[in-house]
Amino acid sequence: MQDLGIDVLFKGTNFLRLLQGLWVSVEISLISVVISILLGLLVGILMTFKNPVLRAVLKVYLEIVRIMPQMVLLFIVYFGTTRVFGWDLSAETSAIFVFCFWGTAEMGDLVRGSIKSISKIQFESSFALGMNKIQTYRYVILPQTIRRLIPLSINLITRMIKTTSLVMMIGIVEVLKVAQQIIEANRKASPNAAFGVFAVVFLLYFLVCWPISRLSVYLEKRWAL
Amino acid sequence: MSELLKVKNLHKEFGKNVVLKDINLSVEKGEVVVIIGPSGCGKSTFLRCLNGLEEIQGGVITVDGLPVESGKKEITKLRQKIGMVFQSYELFPHLSVIDNLILAPTKVQKRKKEEVIREATELLDRVGLLDKKDYFPRQLSGGQKQRVAIVRALLMHPEILLFDEVTAALDPEMVHEVLETMLKLAKSGSTMLIVTHEMSFAEAVADRILFFDNGEIVEEAEDVKGFFKEPKTERAKKFLRTFEYDSALYI
């Protein structure tokens, strides 16, 4: 068997650079996930309202997000809107914007589903105790919604983390881009680097996503209804 | 005695389907009114109208002289005067028993937590559930949940209590403990409106019987014993006979 090409990572600061790239990925996904969860809760609640205009708008929004590939969204925001509207968006800001736009819609849909799965009598019991709508959501509905959301949103969160690999297309040097650079730079010296370096990248993604999925299992058990 | 609840010409429909026609009722403080009737006769809907969970299409409902109007802001104030317990003991599953109990008194009525906990503990003791204080609803039996639900309603100090077939979803051996709790309440002078299918309980607890059929009050009887012995209307007779038939069949 030929060598696996992992040795390149120990040359110079290569491994450190890879970790820095990973941090860029994690940072973008972390910020986006937090914003998406908060906005998603709000959008999800709005999605359960009966107002027809609101419903239509949110439906169109959700469909756009579902249909449009994230890469196209990234291109539109970073290459398109910066010209047309003349604003000065950094690649990172564009990426975070697109990921939030996407995450909020999908999270909202998950929230909507979770709220809908809570029985009507939970609302009524709460109203019957004299609670108003806001109190009902805050103390009764949302805590249950969040518990139901955890397994569903873990899937979305890990997808968001994985999809950050796309942001290199708008010039952000994240973990995958660093990996490519390392491989390119060492093409002559270690032609097998593509295997070793990408395998390490795989491992790094795993190390980021695995604790999240463990956390979800733990919370699911602790908060079992 | 003073009049606590007044219903005048109540009319309720779901689309084209008229569920309640021209209901009139007046309930005094301390009175226990039991509503019986066949399934689908509108008795549960009637209770739900009383605290504004259903919109009504005509008539007026007043509690303590204040109009019940669903959708209005004032309804939350009014609902604090009206306790309601549902058929499917809906405790909040993410909260322990004690947290279920103190939620509304502390958040809605802004009462002091310690004071509410003290009262809740006392009431739990009275229904024999003090040791379940820190349990979660999923760890309780149906009868226990239903008793907690009753205590939860009581803690708001309502002036009137509505019970919507609270034993219908319970296993037979749990029915008794819940009915006993309600009987004690009735004896302590609470004003109650009870929808039930438990005829002997109805006879024991009621000051007045309302027999509903097809969305109307077909018979109203202050002589409860007399009603169960010999109802005046044919429809009530027929309805009561179905219960006799049941017991005759199984004995």
Side-chain angles (χ1 to χ4, degrees):
Chain A
M1 202 172 75
Q2 300 195 10
D3 75 289
L4 297 177
I6 296 181
D7 53 308
V8 264
L9 288 173
F10 302 107
K11 285 185 195 158
T13 55
N14 280 353
F15 192 66
L16 187 68
R17 280 177 58 212
L18 205 59
L19 287 182
Q20 281 166 343
L22 183 69
W23 175 244
V24 173
S25 304
V26 169
E27 199 182 14
I28 290 176
S29 39
L30 203 68
I31 296 174
S32 310
V33 163
V34 169
I35 297 176
S36 296
I37 288 175
L38 294 176
L39 290 180
L41 280 173
L42 185 70
V43 168
I45 292 174
L46 293 179
M47 278 175 173
T48 63
F49 286 7
K50 289 200 181 82
N51 184 321
V53 181
L54 192 66
R55 276 198 157 191
V57 170
L58 291 173
K59 190 144 196 203
V60 170
Y61 169 39
L62 183 62
E63 286 306 314
I64 288 177
V65 170
R66 277 193 180 147
I67 290 164
M68 190 88 94
Q70 279 85 25
M71 188 137 54
V72 179
L73 279 175
L74 279 173
F75 284 174
I76 291 183
V77 172
Y78 184 61
F79 298 122
T81 64
T82 42
R83 272 191 178 272
V84 173
F85 303 115
W87 52 42
D88 185 25
L89 282 183
S90 71
E92 281 79 7
T93 317
S94 307
I96 289 171
F97 177 81
V98 166
F99 275 68
C100 291
F101 184 75
W102 164 39
T104 301
E106 289 218 22
M107 185 59 77
D109 199 40
L110 296 179
V111 171
R112 183 197 57 79
S114 304
I115 293 178
K116 284 279 172 194
S117 74
I118 291 170
S119 88
K120 216 177 113 205
I121 312 181
Q122 285 286 317
F123 284 88
E124 289 179 347
S125 302
S126 176
F127 291 148
L129 285 166
M131 286 195 251
N132 62 30
K133 262 196 163 165
I134 293 174
Q135 289 167 328
T136 299
Y137 272 102
R138 175 156 170 218
Y139 299 116
V140 178
I141 304 303
L142 280 183
Q144 294 184 57
T145 307
I146 289 168
R147 282 163 170 77
R148 284 174 201 212
L149 261 181
I150 286 163
L152 304 171
S153 55
I154 290 310
N155 178 21
L156 176 64
I157 291 170
T158 46
R159 257 164 62 220
M160 284 173 82
I161 293 173
K162 288 184 282 184
T163 314
T164 51
S165 56
L166 289 181
V167 301
M168 72 174 188
M169 301 303 288
I170 57 172
I172 297 175
V173 184
E174 44 69 76
V175 62
L176 203 60
K177 186 75 200 172
V178 176
Q180 270 188 353
Q181 289 172 346
I182 294 173
I183 294 163
E184 290 289 313
N186 296 282
R187 206 169 38 192
K188 288 252 166 63
S190 47
N192 288 350
F195 183 83
V197 174
F198 283 138
V200 170
V201 169
F202 166 78
L203 200 69
L204 290 177
Y205 273 118
F206 177 79
L207 288 177
V208 172
C209 291
W210 190 65
I212 299 176
S213 119
R214 293 309 304 163
L215 179 71
S216 125
V217 172
Y218 167 76
L219 288 177
E220 238 180 292
K221 271 204 196 119
R222 217 192 113 182
W223 283 350
L225 295 181
Chain B
M1 280 217 206
S2 63
E3 181 183 78
L4 194 55
L5 171 78
K6 190 164 181 66
V7 179
K8 233 180 128 189
N9 308 111
L10 170 62
H11 183 85
K12 161 84 194 161
E13 56 194 33
F14 290 114
K16 270 183 202 156
N17 188 7
V18 179
V19 221
L20 295 169
K21 340 173 193 179
D22 199 28
I23 306 278
N24 289 290
L25 176 69
S26 152
V27 177
E28 317 243 285
K29 211 171 163 52
E31 211 181 356
V32 177
V33 177
V34 174
I35 303 173
I36 58 172
S39 305
C41 67
K43 50 196 193 312
S44 286
T45 309
F46 176 64
L47 279 199
R48 293 164 55 81
C49 290
L50 296 182
N51 72 351
L53 286 176
E54 298 283 349
E55 269 178 48
I56 57 175
Q57 279 71 45
V60 186
I61 302 168
T62 54
V63 172
D64 236 1
L66 300 164
V68 176
E69 288 168 282
S70 86
K72 290 270 168 63
K73 258 211 162 128
E74 294 73 33
I75 190 76
T76 58
K77 283 250 168 61
L78 213 56
R79 278 179 180 144
Q80 296 173 38
K81 294 175 185 275
I82 313 167
M84 182 155 184
V85 184
F86 297 83
Q87 175 179 336
S88 54
Y89 26 85
E90 284 282 338
L91 298 178
F92 304 131
H94 60 295
L95 298 176
S96 66
V97 167
I98 192 76
D99 286 336
N100 259 281
L101 296 177
I102 65 171
L103 179 64
T106 52
K107 303 297 179 194
V108 178
Q109 295 177 328
K110 314 272 183 224
R111 277 153 61 192
K112 281 224 178 65
K113 200 169 166 189
E114 305 82 64
E115 177 228 312
V116 181
I117 289 180
R118 200 173 335 113
E119 198 190 340
T121 318
E122 227 175 86
L123 284 173
L124 274 180
D125 194 21
R126 224 181 294 166
V127 299
L129 290 175
L130 190 55
D131 54 328
K132 302 282 187 279
K133 194 173 94 171
D134 296 311
Y135 279 44
F136 279 84
R138 64 174 181 279
Q139 299 166 302
L140 303 180
S141 73
Q144 291 169 337
K145 282 189 229 182
Q146 202 56 293
R147 280 182 283 163
V148 173
I150 293 173
V151 171
R152 185 172 70 175
L154 285 176
L155 271 174
M156 296 294 286
H157 302 151
E159 293 178 33
I160 184 162
L161 280 161
L162 312 177
F163 293 90
D164 186 9
E165 296 195 39
V166 290
T167 57
L170 294 180
D171 290 337
E173 68 266 30
M174 315 258 168
V175 170
H176 179 74
E177 61 190 48
V178 174
L179 293 184
E180 202 170 25
T181 305
M182 290 164 69
L183 205 59
K184 272 189 206 155
L185 276 176
K187 286 200 178 126
S188 70
S190 306
T191 314
M192 296 157 78
L193 254 81
I194 303 170
V195 167
T196 185
H197 281 295
E198 304 284 338
M199 291 306 137
S200 43
F201 168 69
E203 193 171 343
V205 78
D207 295 321
R208 184 153 42 124
I209 293 279
L210 299 180
F211 173 64
F212 268 57
D213 195 9
N214 259 328
E216 297 171 296
I217 300 178
V218 175
E219 188 167 342
E220 189 172 348
E222 303 233 5
D223 174 13
V224 175
K225 291 240 155 23
F227 172 83
F228 281 101
K229 214 181 241 166
E230 187 73 56
K232 290 198 179 64
T233 60
E234 211 37 57
R235 273 146 91 186
K237 256 183 218 164
K238 218 174 132 198
F239 174 72
L240 287 180
R241 222 178 291 139
T242 59
F243 287 90
E244 279 166 31
Y245 174 69
D246 275 356
S247 49
L249 189 72
Y250 294 120
I251 282 168

PDB file of all heavy atoms in Angstrom, chain B residues 168-197:
ATOM      1  N   ALA B 168     -64.864  10.619  32.377  1.00  0.00           N
ATOM      2  CA  ALA B 168     -65.173   9.812  31.193  1.00  0.00           C
ATOM      3  C   ALA B 168     -63.968   9.057  30.644  1.00  0.00           C
ATOM      4  O   ALA B 168     -64.108   7.988  30.069  1.00  0.00           O
ATOM      5  CB  ALA B 168     -65.774  10.696  30.103  1.00  0.00           C
ATOM      6  N   ALA B 169     -62.766   9.627  30.810  1.00  0.00           N
ATOM      7  CA  ALA B 169     -61.595   8.969  30.234  1.00  0.00           C
ATOM      8  C   ALA B 169     -60.855   8.116  31.257  1.00  0.00           C
ATOM      9  O   ALA B 169     -59.765   7.647  30.997  1.00  0.00           O
ATOM     10  CB  ALA B 169     -60.648  10.014  29.656  1.00  0.00           C
ATOM     11  N   LEU B 170     -61.466   7.940  32.423  1.00  0.00           N
ATOM     12  CA  LEU B 170     -60.752   7.231  33.488  1.00  0.00           C
ATOM     13  C   LEU B 170     -61.124   5.754  33.546  1.00  0.00           C
ATOM     14  O   LEU B 170     -62.233   5.370  33.195  1.00  0.00           O
ATOM     15  CB  LEU B 170     -61.094   7.861  34.844  1.00  0.00           C
ATOM     16  CG  LEU B 170     -60.622   9.283  35.088  1.00  0.00           C
ATOM     17  CD1 LEU B 170     -61.054   9.727  36.466  1.00  0.00           C
ATOM     18  CD2 LEU B 170     -59.129   9.371  34.940  1.00  0.00           C
ATOM     19  N   ASP B 171     -60.173   4.960  34.037  1.00  0.00           N
ATOM     20  CA  ASP B 171     -60.494   3.566  34.315  1.00  0.00           C
ATOM     21  C   ASP B 171     -61.507   3.539  35.459  1.00  0.00           C
ATOM     22  O   ASP B 171     -61.464   4.386  36.353  1.00  0.00           O
ATOM     23  CB  ASP B 171     -59.238   2.815  34.765  1.00  0.00           C
ATOM     24  CG  ASP B 171     -58.266   2.652  33.615  1.00  0.00           C
ATOM     25  OD1 ASP B 171     -58.736   2.699  32.458  1.00  0.00           O
ATOM     26  OD2 ASP B 171     -57.059   2.513  33.860  1.00  0.00           O
ATOM     27  N   PRO B 172     -62.412   2.551  35.447  1.00  0.00           N
ATOM     28  CA  PRO B 172     -63.503   2.524  36.426  1.00  0.00           C
ATOM     29  C   PRO B 172     -63.027   2.666  37.869  1.00  0.00           C
ATOM     30  O   PRO B 172     -63.655   3.380  38.655  1.00  0.00           O
ATOM     31  CB  PRO B 172     -64.142   1.149  36.206  1.00  0.00           C
ATOM     32  CG  PRO B 172     -63.802   0.785  34.816  1.00  0.00           C
ATOM     33  CD  PRO B 172     -62.513   1.445  34.482  1.00  0.00           C
ATOM     34  N   GLU B 173     -61.901   2.039  38.210  1.00  0.00           N
ATOM     35  CA  GLU B 173     -61.495   2.095  39.621  1.00  0.00           C
ATOM     36  C   GLU B 173     -60.947   3.459  40.014  1.00  0.00           C
ATOM     37  O   GLU B 173     -60.746   3.733  41.188  1.00  0.00           O
ATOM     38  CB  GLU B 173     -60.495   0.975  39.937  1.00  0.00           C
ATOM     39  CG  GLU B 173     -59.151   1.111  39.273  1.00  0.00           C
ATOM     40  CD  GLU B 173     -59.078   0.336  37.958  1.00  0.00           C
ATOM     41  OE1 GLU B 173     -60.132   0.202  37.296  1.00  0.00           O
ATOM     42  OE2 GLU B 173     -57.982  -0.120  37.608  1.00  0.00           O
ATOM     43  N   MET B 174     -60.718   4.323  39.048  1.00  0.00           N
ATOM     44  CA  MET B 174     -60.208   5.661  39.356  1.00  0.00           C
ATOM     45  C   MET B 174     -61.348   6.674  39.480  1.00  0.00           C
ATOM     46  O   MET B 174     -61.177   7.774  39.975  1.00  0.00           O
ATOM     47  CB  MET B 174     -59.297   6.171  38.240  1.00  0.00           C
ATOM     48  CG  MET B 174     -58.314   5.151  37.759  1.00  0.00           C
ATOM     49  SD  MET B 174     -56.747   5.516  38.462  1.00  0.00           S
ATOM     50  CE  MET B 174     -55.840   4.061  38.078  1.00  0.00           C
ATOM     51  N   VAL B 175     -62.491   6.289  38.932  1.00  0.00           N
ATOM     52  CA  VAL B 175     -63.615   7.217  38.888  1.00  0.00           C
ATOM     53  C   VAL B 175     -63.990   7.670  40.287  1.00  0.00           C
ATOM     54  O   VAL B 175     -64.166   8.853  40.557  1.00  0.00           O
ATOM     55  CB  VAL B 175     -64.822   6.571  38.172  1.00  0.00           C
ATOM     56  CG1 VAL B 175     -66.057   7.417  38.324  1.00  0.00           C
ATOM     57  CG2 VAL B 175     -64.498   6.356  36.702  1.00  0.00           C
ATOM     58  N   HIS B 176     -64.026   6.696  41.170  1.00  0.00           N
ATOM     59  CA  HIS B 176     -64.502   6.961  42.521  1.00  0.00           C
ATOM     60  C   HIS B 176     -63.707   8.073  43.209  1.00  0.00           C
ATOM     61  O   HIS B 176     -64.276   9.005  43.781  1.00  0.00           O
ATOM     62  CB  HIS B 176     -64.447   5.672  43.347  1.00  0.00           C
ATOM     63  CG  HIS B 176     -64.897   5.854  44.749  1.00  0.00           C
ATOM     64  ND1 HIS B 176     -66.220   6.020  45.086  1.00  0.00           N
ATOM     65  CD2 HIS B 176     -64.199   5.955  45.903  1.00  0.00           C
ATOM     66  CE1 HIS B 176     -66.325   6.177  46.384  1.00  0.00           C
ATOM     67  NE2 HIS B 176     -65.105   6.160  46.908  1.00  0.00           N
ATOM     68  N   GLU B 177     -62.369   7.985  43.142  1.00  0.00           N
ATOM     69  CA  GLU B 177     -61.534   8.956  43.870  1.00  0.00           C
ATOM     70  C   GLU B 177     -61.771  10.376  43.366  1.00  0.00           C
ATOM     71  O   GLU B 177     -61.710  11.336  44.131  1.00  0.00           O
ATOM     72  CB  GLU B 177     -60.053   8.569  43.756  1.00  0.00           C
ATOM     73  CG  GLU B 177     -59.535   8.544  42.317  1.00  0.00           C
ATOM     74  CD  GLU B 177     -58.139   7.940  42.190  1.00  0.00           C
ATOM     75  OE1 GLU B 177     -57.912   6.852  42.752  1.00  0.00           O
ATOM     76  OE2 GLU B 177     -57.289   8.547  41.517  1.00  0.00           O
ATOM     77  N   VAL B 178     -62.049  10.493  42.077  1.00  0.00           N
ATOM     78  CA  VAL B 178     -62.273  11.828  41.522  1.00  0.00           C
ATOM     79  C   VAL B 178     -63.649  12.355  41.938  1.00  0.00           C
ATOM     80  O   VAL B 178     -63.799  13.507  42.352  1.00  0.00           O
ATOM     81  CB  VAL B 178     -62.128  11.813  39.982  1.00  0.00           C
ATOM     82  CG1 VAL B 178     -62.503  13.155  39.391  1.00  0.00           C
ATOM     83  CG2 VAL B 178     -60.704  11.435  39.601  1.00  0.00           C
ATOM     84  N   LEU B 179     -64.638  11.473  41.847  1.00  0.00           N
ATOM     85  CA  LEU B 179     -65.989  11.899  42.219  1.00  0.00           C
ATOM     86  C   LEU B 179     -66.051  12.302  43.687  1.00  0.00           C
ATOM     87  O   LEU B 179     -66.725  13.263  44.055  1.00  0.00           O
ATOM     88  CB  LEU B 179     -66.993  10.765  41.941  1.00  0.00           C
ATOM     89  CG  LEU B 179     -67.185  10.427  40.468  1.00  0.00           C
ATOM     90  CD1 LEU B 179     -68.263   9.369  40.313  1.00  0.00           C
ATOM     91  CD2 LEU B 179     -67.541  11.663  39.653  1.00  0.00           C
ATOM     92  N   GLU B 180     -65.304  11.567  44.505  1.00  0.00           N
ATOM     93  CA  GLU B 180     -65.301  11.876  45.923  1.00  0.00           C
ATOM     94  C   GLU B 180     -64.741  13.277  46.161  1.00  0.00           C
ATOM     95  O   GLU B 180     -65.276  14.051  46.961  1.00  0.00           O
ATOM     96  CB  GLU B 180     -64.472  10.842  46.668  1.00  0.00           C
ATOM     97  CG  GLU B 180     -64.818  10.766  48.123  1.00  0.00           C
ATOM     98  CD  GLU B 180     -64.136   9.566  48.770  1.00  0.00           C
ATOM     99  OE1 GLU B 180     -63.100   9.122  48.247  1.00  0.00           O
ATOM    100  OE2 GLU B 180     -64.639   9.082  49.778  1.00  0.00           O
ATOM    101  N   THR B 181     -63.666  13.587  45.447  1.00  0.00           N
ATOM    102  CA  THR B 181     -63.082  14.921  45.550  1.00  0.00           C
ATOM    103  C   THR B 181     -64.107  15.987  45.188  1.00  0.00           C
ATOM    104  O   THR B 181     -64.230  17.024  45.863  1.00  0.00           O
ATOM    105  CB  THR B 181     -61.873  15.037  44.605  1.00  0.00           C
ATOM    106  OG1 THR B 181     -60.965  13.988  44.893  1.00  0.00           O
ATOM    107  CG2 THR B 181     -61.189  16.381  44.752  1.00  0.00           C
ATOM    108  N   MET B 182     -64.859  15.715  44.127  1.00  0.00           N
ATOM    109  CA  MET B 182     -65.844  16.698  43.681  1.00  0.00           C
ATOM    110  C   MET B 182     -66.997  16.828  44.672  1.00  0.00           C
ATOM    111  O   MET B 182     -67.512  17.922  44.914  1.00  0.00           O
ATOM    112  CB  MET B 182     -66.391  16.315  42.301  1.00  0.00           C
ATOM    113  CG  MET B 182     -65.352  16.486  41.202  1.00  0.00           C
ATOM    114  SD  MET B 182     -65.800  15.628  39.694  1.00  0.00           S
ATOM    115  CE  MET B 182     -67.198  16.601  39.158  1.00  0.00           C
ATOM    116  N   LEU B 183     -67.373  15.686  45.252  1.00  0.00           N
ATOM    117  CA  LEU B 183     -68.454  15.704  46.227  1.00  0.00           C
ATOM    118  C   LEU B 183     -68.079  16.560  47.439  1.00  0.00           C
ATOM    119  O   LEU B 183     -68.869  17.350  47.940  1.00  0.00           O
ATOM    120  CB  LEU B 183     -68.766  14.264  46.659  1.00  0.00           C
ATOM    121  CG  LEU B 183     -70.166  13.974  47.177  1.00  0.00           C
ATOM    122  CD1 LEU B 183     -71.201  14.318  46.128  1.00  0.00           C
ATOM    123  CD2 LEU B 183     -70.290  12.502  47.566  1.00  0.00           C
ATOM    124  N   LYS B 184     -66.827  16.409  47.872  1.00  0.00           N
ATOM    125  CA  LYS B 184     -66.343  17.212  49.000  1.00  0.00           C
ATOM    126  C   LYS B 184     -66.415  18.699  48.664  1.00  0.00           C
ATOM    127  O   LYS B 184     -66.825  19.518  49.490  1.00  0.00           O
ATOM    128  CB  LYS B 184     -64.892  16.847  49.300  1.00  0.00           C
ATOM    129  CG  LYS B 184     -64.749  15.685  50.262  1.00  0.00           C
ATOM    130  CD  LYS B 184     -63.287  15.549  50.666  1.00  0.00           C
ATOM    131  CE  LYS B 184     -62.969  14.124  51.080  1.00  0.00           C
ATOM    132  NZ  LYS B 184     -61.551  13.807  50.906  1.00  0.00           N
ATOM    133  N   LEU B 185     -66.020  19.020  47.455  1.00  0.00           N
ATOM    134  CA  LEU B 185     -66.057  20.414  47.012  1.00  0.00           C
ATOM    135  C   LEU B 185     -67.468  20.962  47.062  1.00  0.00           C
ATOM    136  O   LEU B 185     -67.717  22.067  47.527  1.00  0.00           O
ATOM    137  CB  LEU B 185     -65.564  20.513  45.571  1.00  0.00           C
ATOM    138  CG  LEU B 185     -64.072  20.601  45.362  1.00  0.00           C
ATOM    139  CD1 LEU B 185     -63.780  20.594  43.871  1.00  0.00           C
ATOM    140  CD2 LEU B 185     -63.572  21.886  45.983  1.00  0.00           C
ATOM    141  N   ALA B 186     -68.396  20.148  46.544  1.00  0.00           N
ATOM    142  CA  ALA B 186     -69.785  20.571  46.492  1.00  0.00           C
ATOM    143  C   ALA B 186     -70.290  20.853  47.897  1.00  0.00           C
ATOM    144  O   ALA B 186     -70.977  21.843  48.156  1.00  0.00           O
ATOM    145  CB  ALA B 186     -70.635  19.491  45.824  1.00  0.00           C
ATOM    146  N   LYS B 187     -69.910  19.974  48.834  1.00  0.00           N
ATOM    147  CA  LYS B 187     -70.370  20.131  50.213  1.00  0.00           C
ATOM    148  C   LYS B 187     -69.763  21.354  50.869  1.00  0.00           C
ATOM    149  O   LYS B 187     -70.334  21.935  51.788  1.00  0.00           O
ATOM    150  CB  LYS B 187     -70.029  18.877  51.014  1.00  0.00           C
ATOM    151  CG  LYS B 187     -70.947  17.728  50.630  1.00  0.00           C
ATOM    152  CD  LYS B 187     -70.982  16.651  51.690  1.00  0.00           C
ATOM    153  CE  LYS B 187     -71.938  15.551  51.286  1.00  0.00           C
ATOM    154  NZ  LYS B 187     -71.289  14.239  51.313  1.00  0.00           N
ATOM    155  N   SER B 188     -68.580  21.753  50.384  1.00  0.00           N
ATOM    156  CA  SER B 188     -67.938  22.911  51.013  1.00  0.00           C
ATOM    157  C   SER B 188     -68.494  24.226  50.467  1.00  0.00           C
ATOM    158  O   SER B 188     -67.979  25.299  50.764  1.00  0.00           O
ATOM    159  CB  SER B 188     -66.430  22.850  50.793  1.00  0.00           C
ATOM    160  OG  SER B 188     -66.146  23.083  49.435  1.00  0.00           O
ATOM    161  N   GLY B 189     -69.532  24.128  49.649  1.00  0.00           N
ATOM    162  CA  GLY B 189     -70.209  25.345  49.228  1.00  0.00           C
ATOM    163  C   GLY B 189     -69.759  25.926  47.910  1.00  0.00           C
ATOM    164  O   GLY B 189     -70.090  27.062  47.579  1.00  0.00           O
ATOM    165  N   SER B 190     -68.949  25.179  47.121  1.00  0.00           N
ATOM    166  CA  SER B 190     -68.510  25.685  45.815  1.00  0.00           C
ATOM    167  C   SER B 190     -69.685  25.721  44.840  1.00  0.00           C
ATOM    168  O   SER B 190     -70.585  24.897  44.913  1.00  0.00           O
ATOM    169  CB  SER B 190     -67.433  24.777  45.222  1.00  0.00           C
ATOM    170  OG  SER B 190     -66.390  24.614  46.124  1.00  0.00           O
ATOM    171  N   THR B 191     -69.615  26.687  43.948  1.00  0.00           N
ATOM    172  CA  THR B 191     -70.590  26.749  42.870  1.00  0.00           C
ATOM    173  C   THR B 191     -70.058  25.912  41.722  1.00  0.00           C
ATOM    174  O   THR B 191     -68.936  26.114  41.282  1.00  0.00           O
ATOM    175  CB  THR B 191     -70.760  28.194  42.377  1.00  0.00           C
ATOM    176  OG1 THR B 191     -70.881  29.038  43.516  1.00  0.00           O
ATOM    177  CG2 THR B 191     -71.956  28.334  41.481  1.00  0.00           C
ATOM    178  N   MET B 192     -70.833  24.949  41.277  1.00  0.00           N
ATOM    179  CA  MET B 192     -70.315  24.031  40.268  1.00  0.00           C
ATOM    180  C   MET B 192     -71.321  23.736  39.174  1.00  0.00           C
ATOM    181  O   MET B 192     -72.518  23.628  39.421  1.00  0.00           O
ATOM    182  CB  MET B 192     -69.909  22.703  40.928  1.00  0.00           C
ATOM    183  CG  MET B 192     -68.775  22.835  41.920  1.00  0.00           C
ATOM    184  SD  MET B 192     -68.711  21.503  43.139  1.00  0.00           S
ATOM    185  CE  MET B 192     -68.004  20.187  42.233  1.00  0.00           C
ATOM    186  N   LEU B 193     -70.783  23.610  37.954  1.00  0.00           N
ATOM    187  CA  LEU B 193     -71.565  23.096  36.840  1.00  0.00           C
ATOM    188  C   LEU B 193     -70.867  21.831  36.363  1.00  0.00           C
ATOM    189  O   LEU B 193     -69.692  21.874  35.996  1.00  0.00           O
ATOM    190  CB  LEU B 193     -71.610  24.103  35.686  1.00  0.00           C
ATOM    191  CG  LEU B 193     -72.935  24.836  35.512  1.00  0.00           C
ATOM    192  CD1 LEU B 193     -72.974  25.966  36.517  1.00  0.00           C
ATOM    193  CD2 LEU B 193     -73.082  25.345  34.101  1.00  0.00           C
ATOM    194  N   ILE B 194     -71.588  20.728  36.386  1.00  0.00           N
ATOM    195  CA  ILE B 194     -70.948  19.454  36.111  1.00  0.00           C
ATOM    196  C   ILE B 194     -71.646  18.750  34.960  1.00  0.00           C
ATOM    197  O   ILE B 194     -72.859  18.573  34.982  1.00  0.00           O
ATOM    198  CB  ILE B 194     -71.023  18.539  37.362  1.00  0.00           C
ATOM    199  CG1 ILE B 194     -70.381  19.247  38.561  1.00  0.00           C
ATOM    200  CG2 ILE B 194     -70.357  17.200  37.089  1.00  0.00           C
ATOM    201  CD1 ILE B 194     -70.615  18.534  39.878  1.00  0.00           C
ATOM    202  N   VAL B 195     -70.861  18.398  33.945  1.00  0.00           N
ATOM    203  CA  VAL B 195     -71.390  17.538  32.896  1.00  0.00           C
ATOM    204  C   VAL B 195     -70.896  16.138  33.199  1.00  0.00           C
ATOM    205  O   VAL B 195     -69.697  15.936  33.397  1.00  0.00           O
ATOM    206  CB  VAL B 195     -70.866  17.972  31.509  1.00  0.00           C
ATOM    207  CG1 VAL B 195     -71.160  16.901  30.468  1.00  0.00           C
ATOM    208  CG2 VAL B 195     -71.515  19.288  31.099  1.00  0.00           C
ATOM    209  N   THR B 196     -71.796  15.184  33.299  1.00  0.00           N
ATOM    210  CA  THR B 196     -71.351  13.827  33.657  1.00  0.00           C
ATOM    211  C   THR B 196     -72.275  12.764  33.093  1.00  0.00           C
ATOM    212  O   THR B 196     -73.418  13.028  32.725  1.00  0.00           O
ATOM    213  CB  THR B 196     -71.251  13.669  35.191  1.00  0.00           C
ATOM    214  OG1 THR B 196     -70.703  12.395  35.481  1.00  0.00           O
ATOM    215  CG2 THR B 196     -72.601  13.793  35.850  1.00  0.00           C
ATOM    216  N   HIS B 197     -71.720  11.565  33.018  1.00  0.00           N
ATOM    217  CA  HIS B 197     -72.526  10.399  32.647  1.00  0.00           C
ATOM    218  C   HIS B 197     -72.723   9.471  33.833  1.00  0.00           C
ATOM    219  O   HIS B 197     -73.253   8.382  33.696  1.00  0.00           O
ATOM    220  CB  HIS B 197     -71.850   9.633  31.509  1.00  0.00           C
ATOM    221  CG  HIS B 197     -72.070  10.261  30.168  1.00  0.00           C
ATOM    222  ND1 HIS B 197     -73.312  10.344  29.590  1.00  0.00           N
ATOM    223  CD2 HIS B 197     -71.214  10.842  29.294  1.00  0.00           C
ATOM    224  CE1 HIS B 197     -73.205  10.948  28.417  1.00  0.00           C
ATOM    225  NE2 HIS B 197     -71.942  11.270  28.223  1.00  0.00           N
TER     226      HIS B 197
END
